[in-house]
Amino acid sequence: MEQVIQLEKVNKWFDDFHVLKDIDLTVTKGQKIVVCGPSGSGKSTMIRCINRLEAHQKGQIVVHGTELTNDLKNIDMIRKNVGMVFQQFNLFPHLSVIDNITLAPIWVKKLPKKEAENIAMTYLEKVKIPEQAQKYPGQLSGGQQQRVAIARSLAMNPDIMLFDEPTSALDPEMIKEVLDVMIQLAEEGMTMLVVTHEMGFAKTVADQMIFMDEGRIVEQATPDEFFNNPKSDRTKLFLSQILNH
Amino acid sequence: MTPNTSPYLSPNKMLNWSKKNLFSSWVNTIMTVIALIFLYEVGTFFLNWAIFKADFINNFRGETITDRTFCSKNIEVGQHGACWAIIFVRFHQFMYGFYPVEEAWRVNLVYAFLPFALIGVLFDKLPLRRVFLYFTFAFPFIAYFMLYGGPGLSVVATNKWGGLLVTLFLGVTGIALAFPLSILLALGRRSNMPIVKSICVVFIEFIRGVPLITLLFTANVMLPLFLPEGVKPDNLLRALVAVTLFQSAYMAEAIRGGLQAIPKGQIEAAQSLGLNYWQTTRKIILPQALKIAIPPIVNTCIGLFKDTSLVLIIGLFDLLGIGRAALSDITWTKLYYEVYVFVSLIFFIFCFGMSRYSLYLEKKLKTDNS
Amino acid sequence: MEQNFIRKLIFDEKTRALLIQTLVIGIFAVLIYLVTKQTAYNLEKRGIGTGFEFLNIAAGYDISISLIPYDSNDTHLRAYFVGLLNTLMIAVCGCFLATIMGFLVGIIRLSSNWLFRNIAYVYVEFTRNVPVLLQIILYYTILLHLPKVKQSIIIFDSFYLSNRGLFSPAPIFKDGFSVVIGSLIVMIIFTFFLKKFLKKKQELTGKQYPIFLINSALIIFTPIIFYYLMGMPLEFDHPVMKGFNFKGGMVIRPEFLGMLFGLSIYTAAFISETVRSGIISVSKGQREAAQAIGLKANFIMRLIIIPQALRVIIPPLTSQYLNLTKNSSLGIAIGYADLVHGFGGISLNQTGKAIEIMLIVMSTYLTISLTISFFMNLYNKAVQFKGNI
C-alpha cells in the first residue's frame, strides 16, 4: 500500500508544555483513521501539524513523500493536497457560500472563475445544499455551515482530508447530516484522519482507531479490537466514560 | 422615548410622555422647571444676538456694511447683536483664502466633485459603486491639476491657498495618504518578524506620545534641514507630511483593533486552503478587519479634521487662521464672536456629519452580524 | 547544491524572515545615513553648531507664569523646567476639572429628565465637534473682554474676576498649620487601616458598619479640630484695589484660565461619553441577578455596577488624560507659557538649535505619555477580569 502520511518520533512543545511525545503514525492511501482521547491529549495538535498549522519541533512529518520543514514552497504544496475541516467551521463570513468555495481554486489553483463555480456547484450538490449557494454563512444553520466547509475543502481536490472534531460545535439534530456526508466521502475512498467522539461513526467507517492521552498514542487497533478488547487501562476507562452516557 | 404605535401624536400620548419624562416625581418636576428657565434665558439671548438683533448685509439704518464702523452695535452700543457682515464681505477668504477671485471656479469645481469621490467609499451598497470608486482614484489627480494648475491652467501657488480649502485639503489628503500607510503599520505591528514589529511599534507609540504641534514644528523647521538644498517643500506640504504621519499612527491603532477581532480560525482556514500570507491578508483578514475598524477610523478622522486647525500656529491660513487674519484687519477688528461662531459652525457641520456616519456604520455592523 | 542554497534562502520560512528584516534594516540605515549627512552639511553651511551647551546660556526672555523663581538672566535649562512645570500644572488641573465635569455630564446624560438629558447631549455634541484650539481661543477672548479691573465681577466677596484674570485671596500658612496637615495625613492612613479592620470584623461577625460615613467624618473633622486647637494658623491675604490694579492676594491669569476652560470643557465631553457607555455596558442581567439574590439598590450600585463600569471606563479615561496633556501644548496660541511656547518656541528662535530642542521637547512629552500609560496599564491589569468571560 502507498504511504501518504508518515509521522516519525514527532515532538512538540507549547513553551514548557510537552504536547506531543514521540508520535509515530503511518497512513496509507484510502485509509480512514479515527483519533479519540480526552481533551488536552494532543489529538487536535497532531492533525494540525500535518498541514503545518502548527510547527513540530522534533521528528519527521512526511506527506506524499515531501517532508514538512520551514520550506514555504513545500508547505504550500502540501496544503493544496490536504484538506481540513474545523470544529468552528471557520467559513469566511464576508463571502457568500459560493465565493467561500471558489476562493482557493481561483487564487491558489488559478482556475478561471466559471470553472471554479462549476466545481463549487458539484460539491455543493454533493453535500446536498446547492440551493444555498448565494447565501452568506451567517444565514445558514450550523450543520449547513459545516457541510459548506467540507465542500470548500473538497473543491481543492485534496487526496487527504483532516477533520478536527467536525461535529463538536453542532446541535445534536444537525450532527447526522454532517456525518452522512463524511460517510459518503469515506465510501468514495478518500483518505481521512478524523478527530471525533462520535463512536458510532468510528465503528462504521474507521479502518484504524487511535487513542491518545497526555501527548502519546496509547493504543492503535482495528475498531473491532479497540471497542471489544482494549488493551490499555486508560483506553478502557475512556471508553467506559464516553459510551456509558 | 416611548415607542409610538400610531404615527400621530394624540394629546393623551403627549401627556403620558411628559408625565414619564418630565414630571415623574417632584425632583423631576423641579429639574424640568430649572431646565426650562435655563433654555429660555440662553435661547433668547443667543437668538437675539445671532438673528433677531443681528446685522447681515445692511445695518439698522439700511446702509450696506463695508467696515466695522457701520455695524449697528458700533453705532448704538448695547442695542444690537452680531454683525455678520464680516463673514459676507470676506466670504471669499473663508472659502478659498488668497486664491485669485477669477480662478475661484476651479476650487468650486473641486468642492462640487468631492462628494462624488467620497460617496463610493462611504456607502458599500451604492448602485454603480465600481464606477464611483474609479472616480475616487482619479479624483486626487484631477483635484491637484484643478487647484494647483498646469498645462492650460495658470499656476496658483499653495501660499495663496487658505480657509476651508486648506482645512479640507489637509484633512482629506492627510486621511487618504495615511490610510495605506496605516494598514502597513498595523500589519507590521502584528508581524512575527521582531525587527519589522519593533519598528512599527516604536513609530506608532512615538507619534501617539507627542503632541501634533511638535510634529508640525519639526516638519516645518527640520524638513528643510534633512533634504538637499534644491528640494524645498513649501509650507503646506511640510504640514501635510506631519499630518499624514500623525494620522497614520492613530489609524493604525484603529485597524489593529479590527485585526485583533478576527478569530484565529479565519487565518487557519485560509492557510489550510493553501492561500499565502498576502492572499490571506487581502482576501480574508483585511475585508473583515476594516469593516469592524471603520467606526473607530472615522473617529480618528474627526480628530484629524479638527486638528488641522493647529497649522495656524506654523503660519498657514486654515479656516481658523483666516478668521484670525480677518480679525487683525483694522477695518474689521473686534468682531471676535461672529468669526469664531461662524468657524465653529463649519467645523461642527463637518465633524457632526462624520460622527453621524460613524454611528450609522456601527448600527449597520450590528445588524449585519445578527 | 547551488540551486538548493538559493531555494533555501528564498523559500525557507526563517531565512526569508531574516532576509526581509535585513533588507528593512539596510534601507533604514541608508536613509538615516543620508539624512544625517545632509543635515550635517546643511547645518554647517548655515553656521549652526550642534550640542547641548546652549542649555547653560542665559535665556534672556521673561516668562509670565512661573511656579519656580525665574528671570531673564536664568538659563535655558531653567526656562525648560519652568515650561515643564507649567505644562504639568495645566495638565493636572485640566484632568481634575475635566473628570468632575465629565462624570457629572455623563450621569446627567442618563437622567430620567428628558430636558436635562438633552441639554447635556447638545453640550457634548457641540463641544466635541469643534476644535479644541478654537475653543481655547474663544474662551480666552471672552476672558479678555470681561469688565476692566475697576468693574470686576465679585464672587463670594473675595474673588474678583476681570480682564486681568481671577484675583483671589492667597493663603498664608502660619506656624501650627503643618500640624493640621499632619493630622489630615495621619487620618487618611488611619482610616485606610480602619477600613480593613472593620471589613475583617464584618467578615467574622457579619455585623455591617457604616465604614464610609465613619471614615469621612474622621478625615473631615480631625483637621478642623486641630485647626482650632492650634489657634487657627491659616490666614488669607485678600486682594485690595489700589489705583488701577489689585494689591495682595494672588492672581490666576486669563491665559491659564483660558487653557483650563478650553481643555477641560472639551475633554469633559469625551469623558462623559465614556462614563455613560461604561455604566450602560453593565448588562441588565447583572442588575437582575443582583436583585434576585436580594441586594439592596445602593449595594447593587456599589458592589456590582460600579466595579464593572470602572473596568470599561478606565482605559478610555486614560487616553483622554493623555489627549488633554498633549493638547496642553496649544498654550502657544494664547501665550500660556508652557513647554512648547517658552522652551520650544522662544528658546528655539533665539538659539536656532531646532534639532536639540525638538528632541528634548518630544522626549519630554513621550516620557509623560509613557509614564501615564504605564501606570494605567498596571491598574488595568489589576482590575481586569480573570479568565475569559
Side-chain angles (χ1 to χ4, degrees), chain C residues 68-257:
Chain C
I68 50 175
Y70 172 88
D71 67 56
S72 59
N73 292 325
D74 281 318
T75 59
H76 284 293
L77 186 64
R78 194 159 180 93
Y80 165 80
F81 282 113
V82 171
L84 176 61
L85 284 175
N86 283 344
T87 293
L88 291 176
M89 177 169 70
I90 192 68
V92 170
C93 295
C95 287
F96 182 72
L97 191 60
T99 309
I100 294 175
M101 287 171 60
F103 271 76
L104 204 68
V105 175
I107 290 164
I108 293 176
R109 287 270 272 131
L110 295 167
S111 150
S112 60
N113 187 294
W114 187 87
L115 280 170
F116 261 63
R117 216 158 58 208
N118 281 284
I119 290 173
Y121 172 71
V122 170
Y123 160 81
V124 169
E125 288 300 347
F126 266 100
T127 46
R128 72 172 180 176
N129 284 315
V130 171
V132 61
L133 178 62
L134 177 46
Q135 294 190 46
I136 289 172
I137 294 176
L138 177 65
Y139 303 142
Y140 180 61
T141 309
I142 294 176
L143 286 166
L144 284 186
H145 291 85
L146 285 171
K148 296 219 170 65
V149 176
K150 286 218 163 191
Q151 289 99 39
S152 292
I153 303 165
I154 302 166
I155 310 162
F156 301 132
D157 274 345
S158 40
F159 294 91
Y160 302 88
L161 191 62
S162 71
N163 63 355
R164 298 255 182 96
L166 180 70
F167 291 85
S168 76
I172 301 169
F173 305 111
K174 289 191 168 171
D175 280 349
F177 197 73
S178 52
V179 179
V180 180
I181 296 288
S183 72
L184 178 70
I185 294 170
V186 169
M187 267 306 125
I188 289 172
I189 299 170
F190 175 70
T191 49
F192 177 76
F193 286 107
L194 186 69
K195 185 177 160 186
K196 279 207 158 165
F197 172 76
L198 289 179
K199 269 236 169 97
K200 256 269 143 56
K201 203 156 179 206
Q202 182 197 335
E203 278 166 21
L204 289 174
T205 62
K207 188 165 163 17
Q208 291 176 7
Y209 299 91
I211 300 175
F212 182 74
L213 224 62
I214 296 175
N215 283 349
S216 319
L218 280 174
I219 290 178
I220 294 168
F221 290 114
T222 321
I224 293 180
I225 292 168
F226 270 94
Y227 177 70
Y228 283 103
L229 278 180
M230 299 307 293
M232 297 189 270
L234 178 68
E235 278 177 8
F236 287 96
D237 176 23
H238 287 267
V240 185
M241 191 69 188
K242 283 254 173 74
F244 291 108
N245 210 342
F246 283 99
K247 283 261 152 56
M250 59 179 195
V251 59
I252 304 173
R253 297 177 60 92
E255 289 82 27
F256 179 83
L257 289 177

Side-chain angles (χ1 to χ4, degrees), chain C residues 22 33 46 50 85 112 123 164 176 180 231 326 353:
Chain C
T22 325
Y33 171 74
R46 297 180 194 188
T50 49
L85 284 175
S112 60
Y123 160 81
R164 298 255 182 96
V180 180
K326 285 182 278 172
K353 305 273 184 188

Side-chain angles (χ1 to χ4, degrees), chain A residues 9-37:
Chain A
K9 295 251 174 293
V10 171
N11 279 275
K12 176 168 181 58
W13 288 263
F14 286 128
D15 296 326
D16 288 343
F17 180 52
H18 199 168
V19 232
L20 295 180
K21 299 169 186 163
D22 286 336
I23 300 288
D24 286 308
L25 176 69
T26 306
V27 183
T28 56
K29 195 165 168 51
Q31 214 176 13
K32 290 115 191 82
I33 296 183
V34 169
V35 186
C36 60

